[in-house]
Amino acid sequence: MKNDVNRQFRLKSRPSGRIKTSDFDLVREPVPEPGAGEALVRVVYLSLDPTNRIWMSDMDQYMPPVELGEVMRGGGIGVVVKSNSPRYKAGDHVSGLTGWQDYCIADEGARAMSVLPQGLPVPLTAMLGACGMTGLTAYFGLLELGKPKPGETVVVSAAAGAVGSVVGQIAKIKGCRAVGIAGGPEKCRFITEELGFDAAIDYKRPDWKERLAEATPNGIDVNFENVGGEIMEAVMARMNLFSRMPLCGMISGYNTDQPMRADCSPILMRRITVRGFIVVDFMEKFAEGAMQLAQWVAEGKIRHRETIVEGLEAAPTAVNKLFDGENIGKLIVRVADPASL
């Protein structure tokens, strides 16, 4: 084994405001030995997601918060380097909750990981993004809850991010008008020129609300909400009667210590259907969704981009890129070079 030390980021304190390196202890331990029915996995790619910030807090959430002293929870992709389980073979690529560390243990129960098929028609990193959890979030949130119909207008916030960028492209596949809200001219060009959105609204411009109105002359039928706050209020004010709003995230408030508030009167007046969801709600359909997404990516109907940060040690500061708007597409940490394993 090339590396006999397992570096782990353990949560030291619950962040107040921005996430800081001092919120973690970086510990070095011997690489664990897999027991019966277990496999040792070398983490290759680590997924950074807004939900990481939720897991660090002790707020009410869909999974137990990460306890102080525990390895920071995180999804990733790794390579099996040693196995005592028929489920895993040495050399298999696997995905699941790897944690912020160099090595993890996969087993056949609570710590089971998905074995990725060989000969994928897409890059390995796409299985964290467009064809992974973020792509599945877009797929099920839009199609199962947003229920877009041809000719309708779909608006998505954080449109240049990992989820939002896929939402807009699926909306186009389904014959809808796709309007994205993103921060800065580069991101707006990305979603219109590369991804095919019909319009992009730069929320950093002082006239962004007027531009939103111009881009949605027939109102808004589906709002795929990722941000919350002022942006969510502005979009809801333009939503049509009996429109739909899948509520995926409220990222604008994750780094604050105040509960997010909004004017929800349009929900009543426009009879908007609002449904909060977590992608695991659709777990029984993951295989179906991943297959369709991979087909669209292979056919060029869905394009994706990644922001890749080098080195496990960068994870605590890199995760802030999600909240600062510094990433385009999926944010990933390359923990190890897959070619060297």
Side-chain angles (χ1 to χ4, degrees), residues 1 3 5-6 31-32 40-43 81 101-105:
M1 192 174 299
N3 184 0
V5 174
N6 186 25
V31 175
L40 177 66
V41 175
R42 177 66 163 106
V43 181
V81 294
Q101 55 188 342
D102 287 309
Y103 293 90
C104 67
I105 294 292

Side-chain angles (χ1 to χ4, degrees), residues 129-150:
C131 301
M133 284 297 185
T134 48
L136 291 169
T137 301
Y139 181 87
F140 291 115
L142 182 61
L143 299 184
E144 297 278 343
L145 306 181
K147 301 184 183 300
K149 304 177 185 65

